[in-house]
Amino acid sequence: MKNTTKVAVAVLVTTAVAVPATAVAAGRLFEPRPTEAHSFVTGDTPSIADGVALGKNVAWYKSSGLGPSAMNKAPGATAEERYIPTDVFPGGELPAGVTLTEAQGINALMRIGENLERAGLSYDDVVSMRVFLQNPDGEEAMDFAGWNRAYRQFFANTNLATGETLDVQLGSAPGEPMVVNEARPSRFALEIENLPVDGWLVEVEVDAVYDR
């Protein structure tokens, strides 16, 4: 999103003192202009926004929930391994420390990017995200750390104060992100018992806004 606003808590307190009396009387410390969207972000390198405010006339897009594509045709691949993106991990072989949830998260976010492109948008237009994670086979809990590594390949991988691109983890190895993007969507992630497609560990839905 190209009109992101970074607001620290201290700035919000200052603003509360400085806003016009009419705004205070209306019970609001901030309200976006009709065609603006503002993400509220605390700090220089957070992974997500505190929240997003959308003006009443903002044009926005809501994706369907998307999971990973079945790309891995290697003989003997399990249902979960079928969703390893072989254009990123040739032959379905995962580097050290890369988990199935991480690989599937990268796959799903690549599909999100394609979906956004068809709508005339890109990753930096995303303002909110909903993530559904299933436990990998044999595990007692979702792999939230693996998902977060996948997410940082596409989102929240710059220093907002300096503009510097941050190294991100791919498994156990740090390196350049796949897509450099300062956007920090508001986000929630849920662990659920079963996703709708056998083998899926990740499903993602996003909201994005058109630049005006």
Side-chain angles (χ1 to χ4, degrees):
M1 185 180 60
K2 300 174 181 60
N3 52 351
T4 301
T5 298
K6 179 187 170 199
V7 182
V9 173
V11 175
L12 284 173
V13 173
T14 302
T15 304
V17 175
V19 292
T22 52
V24 175
R28 300 186 181 94
L29 299 181
F30 173 84
E31 183 174 353
R33 293 186 179 91
T35 59
E36 291 182 342
H38 292 281
S39 289
F40 293 90
V41 180
T42 301
D44 296 334
T45 59
S47 61
I48 62 174
D50 302 326
V52 61
L54 301 177
K56 64 180 180 180
N57 295 329
V58 169
W60 62 289
Y61 172 79
K62 187 180 192 71
S63 81
S64 292
L66 296 175
S69 295
M71 301 174 68
N72 183 16
K73 310 298 183 183
T78 67
E80 294 175 0
E81 291 170 345
R82 287 171 53 223
Y83 296 99
I84 294 172
T86 50
D87 51 353
V88 179
F89 307 109
E93 296 294 325
L94 298 181
V98 176
T99 64
L100 281 170
T101 295
E102 182 176 359
Q104 286 201 18
I106 289 170
N107 187 333
L109 288 171
M110 290 169 65
R111 289 193 66 200
I112 287 287
E114 294 165 357
N115 182 290
L116 290 168
E117 185 176 4
R118 287 194 294 271
L121 295 159
S122 63
Y123 292 110
D124 65 353
D125 298 309
V126 174
V127 295
S128 64
M129 177 182 294
R130 289 154 298 281
V131 184
F132 305 92
L133 300 173
Q134 182 175 313
N135 304 358
D137 189 34
E139 300 294 329
E140 295 183 356
M142 64 180 181
D143 177 14
F144 191 59
W147 155 254
N148 272 330
R149 291 194 299 273
Y151 169 82
R152 285 278 197 172
Q153 293 289 342
F154 299 87
F155 294 93
N157 50 43
T158 66
N159 184 309
L160 293 174
T162 66
E164 177 187 6
T165 301
L166 305 174
D167 280 346
V168 296
Q169 293 289 128
L170 183 65
S172 56
E176 290 282 321
M178 295 179 179
V179 175
V180 177
N181 183 14
E182 70 176 21
R184 270 81 174 168
S186 65
R187 190 188 79 184
F188 74 68
L190 293 177
E191 177 182 312
I192 65 172
E193 184 173 358
N194 288 299
L195 285 171
V197 177
D198 182 34
W200 277 13
L201 300 176
V202 180
E203 185 173 358
V204 181
E205 175 188 336
V206 301
D207 300 325
V209 298
Y210 290 90
D211 189 29
R212 297 183 65 177

